[in-house]
Amino acid sequence: GNVKLSPLSPAVGAMPPVEAAAPTRHGNNAPKSIGVYGGSLAPSASTINYHVQQTPDSYVFEIICYFKPENVRVDSKDGKMSITPDKRRNKKIDPFFTTGGYIVLPKKADPHATPEVRIRDGGLLIAVPKMASA
């Protein structure tokens, strides 16, 4: 279905480690999931920076990109959405930032749906439909 996306906030940079350690509703604020940055090494933790908004029928993830977002591969399986940047487009960027990562999907997100990917303002918007309620 068509997902209406609201305008996004201006570009958001990485938070300093002290703030990143505080609980937040904005996913993992570290560039990678490393304890020093307030992330988590648990397999259930997301490993990429994002914000999430809900619409009545979908979740919209705004990915904070430290890489070029063109030709990014997005796959959804086992309740996780993996984001893999194009290696050729990111040769000049530190590999630490171009390995991509994954987001653990909310329980109500449809794990079998194909995510809808758009590029906006140098970042990625990925819409994942919610499961139809019974």
Side-chain angles (χ1 to χ4, degrees):
N2 288 344
V3 177
K4 289 204 177 356
L5 302 173
S6 61
L8 296 173
S9 58
V12 180
M15 293 170 63
V18 174
E19 288 177 316
T24 176
R25 296 286 311 264
H26 295 300
N28 181 355
N29 291 303
K32 294 302 285 174
S33 193
I34 298 173
V36 176
Y37 292 102
S40 167
L41 296 174
S44 62
S46 300
T47 61
I48 198 163
N49 275 352
Y50 70 93
H51 298 283
V52 63
Q53 298 174 27
Q54 285 192 59
T55 68
D57 53 3
S58 70
Y59 293 95
V60 179
F61 297 91
E62 175 190 357
I63 311 301
I64 287 87
C65 293
Y66 297 98
F67 51 82
K68 292 182 179 161
E70 294 80 17
N71 298 350
V72 169
R73 198 173 87 235
V74 177
D75 297 306
S76 179
K77 72 175 194 190
D78 300 330
K80 291 181 183 178
M81 181 168 59
S82 65
I83 295 140
T84 312
D86 184 324
K87 297 258 183 267
R88 286 186 307 243
R89 286 191 173 269
N90 291 288
K91 278 185 181 161
K92 295 185 172 111
I93 300 175
D94 185 329
F96 181 84
F97 296 113
T98 60
T99 52
Y102 62 84
I103 293 173
V104 177
L105 292 173
K107 286 182 175 70
K108 291 181 182 172
D110 184 346
H112 306 294
T114 303
E116 178 190 334
V117 182
R118 291 191 207 154
I119 296 173
R120 183 184 295 167
D121 299 330
L124 284 173
L125 290 181
I126 303 173
V128 178
K130 292 181 182 176
M131 288 188 287
S133 46

